[in-house]
Amino acid sequence: MKKSTSSIDVEIGTRVRMRRISIGMSQEKLGDMLGLTFQQVQKYEKGTNRISVGRLVDIAKILGVGIDFFFNGIKSVKIDTGFAEEESAPYISDVMSTPEGLQLIRTFTGIKNAKVRKSIVQLVAALAAQENEEERSS
């Protein structure tokens, strides 16, 4: 019997996609480096197919990150007993699914100055707070 994928597989796939895009690598290029088709990379990134630990180690090396990059912040694993802790926040996949989010991440990762990055984060937080305030007033 084939095991189905879970929300954790989707989250890890999203992180693979996020990192691949942030360094400007295509699915085809990653697939070539792994000896896979770009369709298989797509399935990994969507969480349709589960990524083995060995494959994930290879992906981490190619993408220039530690294996922990794919797991940091994941809060729970849903188990067959039906018990689960709080699910991880979907904000990563939400941001990565928009053209603006992808452009923001690509551009932001190119900024080397920590003070500039911090200023941008503060600006975005202020804009979001202002928008939330305006929505509450309406």
Side-chain angles (χ1 to χ4, degrees), residues 35-93:
L36 303 171
T37 64
F38 80 90
Q39 291 96 336
Q40 181 61 44
V41 173
Q42 274 182 336
K43 290 177 182 180
Y44 284 158
E45 290 181 356
K46 290 179 180 176
T48 306
N49 285 4
R50 199 169 263 176
I51 304 173
S52 71
V53 174
R55 179 78 71 203
L56 196 58
V57 168
D58 293 341
I59 291 170
K61 285 178 187 173
I62 291 167
L63 298 180
V65 293
I67 192 80
D68 60 311
F69 173 85
F70 302 106
F71 299 101
N72 283 341
I74 293 179
K75 292 184 170 60
S76 69
V77 177
K78 192 169 185 174
I79 53 177
D80 291 341
T81 61
F83 295 104
E85 295 179 24
E86 180 183 332
E87 292 292 321
S88 64
Y91 65 90
I92 293 174
S93 58

Side-chain angles (χ1 to χ4, degrees), residues 13-23 45 69 92 96 102 105:
T14 298
R15 291 173 185 210
V16 169
R17 181 174 189 266
M18 177 181 68
R19 178 62 184 163
R20 177 185 59 73
I21 289 170
S22 73
I23 64 171
E45 290 181 356
F69 173 85
I92 293 174
M96 294 301 293
L102 292 173
I105 290 169

